[in-house]
Amino acid sequence: MNEQLYNTDYAHWAETMAERLDKRDFEHLDIENLVEEIKDLSKRERDRLLSSIRLIIHHLLKWDYQPHKRSRSWEITIKRERNNIDFYLEDSPSLRKYLSEEWVTKIYRNAYLDAMKETGLDFPQNCPYSIAEILEREVKQ
């Protein structure tokens, strides 16, 4: 029954599992799917952080390579995503391990493609930004 509920009504399944956990009804838990969901929670948190980094890089590329088109909107997006990163790290300090050159290199490819599709410009093949620049560099119109 747990598997069927998981596949047909995820929200109801989650509520049911929470109730069973709260009541310490361990015998009726859907352990297999609970384990997968807990693993996915970590990935979702990581992906939110990486998405913010990607957006910042995307907007920094546009900022640097299209100075004549700089907008308050780009500035707001960069600052908003930096604030989001601060919140993510406050809630989950272990996410700091993704603030590395290795992860920036992985993320850069997608940010580069996004910016290239949007602008028609060609950008450097390798990320021109350090972690510190991504997280702290001043952008003002």
Side-chain angles (χ1 to χ4, degrees):
M1 170 169 140
N2 283 335
E3 185 69 31
Q4 181 182 0
L5 188 57
Y6 180 79
N7 290 323
T8 59
D9 190 341
Y10 178 80
H12 184 62
W13 172 87
E15 290 168 2
T16 301
M17 291 304 109
E19 287 172 12
R20 289 177 182 168
L21 280 167
D22 192 40
K23 292 177 182 176
R24 310 296 191 259
D25 181 7
F26 302 124
E27 184 179 328
H28 296 102
L29 288 175
D30 181 0
I31 298 296
E32 185 176 318
N33 286 317
L34 278 169
V35 168
E36 286 306 310
E37 290 302 317
I38 291 171
K39 287 178 183 176
D40 283 348
L41 285 174
S42 172
K43 289 177 189 172
R44 280 185 283 230
E45 292 301 303
R46 178 203 66 198
D47 290 349
R48 286 185 344 161
L49 174 76
L50 298 179
S51 178
S52 288
I53 293 170
R54 178 180 171 175
L55 269 171
I56 293 168
I57 294 170
H58 175 173
H59 283 77
L60 285 174
L61 286 169
K62 293 191 308 181
W63 188 269
D64 291 342
Y65 290 87
Q66 293 184 301
H68 58 285
K69 289 189 175 184
R70 287 179 181 166
S71 71
R72 179 121 172 88
S73 172
W74 295 354
E75 181 183 341
I76 289 169
T77 297
I78 291 167
K79 289 179 179 179
R80 181 193 67 224
E81 294 307 318
R82 286 175 176 164
N83 284 335
N84 286 345
I85 289 171
D86 289 341
F87 288 127
Y88 303 150
L89 294 175
E90 185 177 317
D91 285 348
S92 300
S94 65
L95 291 173
R96 287 193 182 284
K97 67 185 171 196
Y98 298 108
L99 300 180
S100 69
E101 297 300 326
E102 177 185 349
W103 278 98
V104 167
T105 299
K106 290 178 183 182
I107 298 164
Y108 180 74
R109 179 77 179 144
N110 289 325
Y112 161 89
L113 290 172
D114 291 343
M116 192 173 73
K117 286 176 194 171
E118 186 177 327
T119 65
L121 298 175
D122 197 18
F123 298 101
Q125 290 294 313
N126 296 315
C127 185
Y129 310 113
S130 68
I131 293 292
E133 288 175 300
I134 293 166
L135 298 177
E136 300 167 10
R137 194 185 97 192
E138 187 68 34
V139 287
K140 279 203 183 243
Q141 274 200 234

